[in-house]
Amino acid sequence: LLRAARLGSHAAHAVSMIAALAVNALLPGAPPPQTTATRRGLLGGFAALVAAPAASHAVSARTGLSSVFTGEYDDPQHPGCLRSIKVGGAPMLPSGRRSRNPQAAIAGVDSACDARPEVSAVWKLTGSVAESGESIAIDFSPKGGPKDLLGVWEGDGIKFPDGNKWTKVPNGTPSRRPASLATLNSD
C-alpha cells in the first residue's frame, strides 16, 4: 500500500511538472514553473507512470463467490453426483505471512447419485488455487488418486489432465446435497 502511495505521489508530481513545462513552452511570457523538482523526482515520476498500468493489471486469486472455482459442477464420469468447490482464504505460513494461494474445500459423492446422498457418503478433499486464479491443484490422495492433480479453468469449467472436465452449474445443484444440510460445510 505504501509502495502504491509512493507510485501515485511520483506520478502526480511528474504530471504536474509536465503540465507546467508545457504551459511554459506554449506561452513564452508565462512565468517559469515554481517547483523544487529534482532529476531523481522527475525520473521517479516517469517510472511510476510506466509502472502504474502494469500494477493495475496484476492478477490475484480470488476467494469466496468471486472465485471462478467456487460453485457446483457436473462431472461426466459421475453423472448426477455432487461436486462442490468452495474457495476460502489463504493459510498462514510458518513465517507469519499469508500464503498467496487460497485454499479450496472440495466435496462430492461417487455412487447412488439418483437420490440425495447421506452425509456419511460425502467425501471431502482439499485444494489450492494458483496465485493467478487460473488453476487449482486438488489433493485426491484420500480417494486413492494423485496428491496434486492440476485443474485449469477453461471457459465454463475445470479441465483435468485426463481430459475430464467438470462443468460449472450456474445456479448450483441443491438436489445433490445431503437432505440434512442446506449447504455443505467446509470442515
Side-chain angles (χ1 to χ4, degrees), residues 7 13 42 44 56 65-66 73 82-83 102 106 115 128 133 139 162:
L7 282 175
H13 185 68
L42 192 56
S56 69
L65 292 175
S66 65
Y73 295 83
L82 174 69
R83 293 289 183 271
I106 299 95
S128 177
D139 180 4
D162 65 356

Side-chain angles (χ1 to χ4, degrees), residues 25-107:
L26 294 173
L27 302 172
Q34 298 295 317
T35 180
T36 57
T38 63
R39 187 180 313 163
R40 175 186 276 177
L42 192 56
L43 290 174
F46 284 124
L49 284 173
V50 170
S56 69
H57 289 82
V59 176
S60 64
R62 300 181 183 272
T63 60
L65 292 175
S66 65
S67 171
V68 69
F69 292 104
T70 296
E72 294 179 326
Y73 295 83
D74 282 327
D75 177 357
Q77 294 184 2
H78 299 278
C81 290
L82 174 69
R83 293 289 183 271
S84 174
I85 298 178
K86 291 184 180 182
V87 179
M92 191 67 74
L93 299 172
S95 65
R97 297 181 61 144
R98 288 215 176 269
S99 166
R100 297 175 70 106
N101 301 58
Q103 298 299 290
I106 299 95

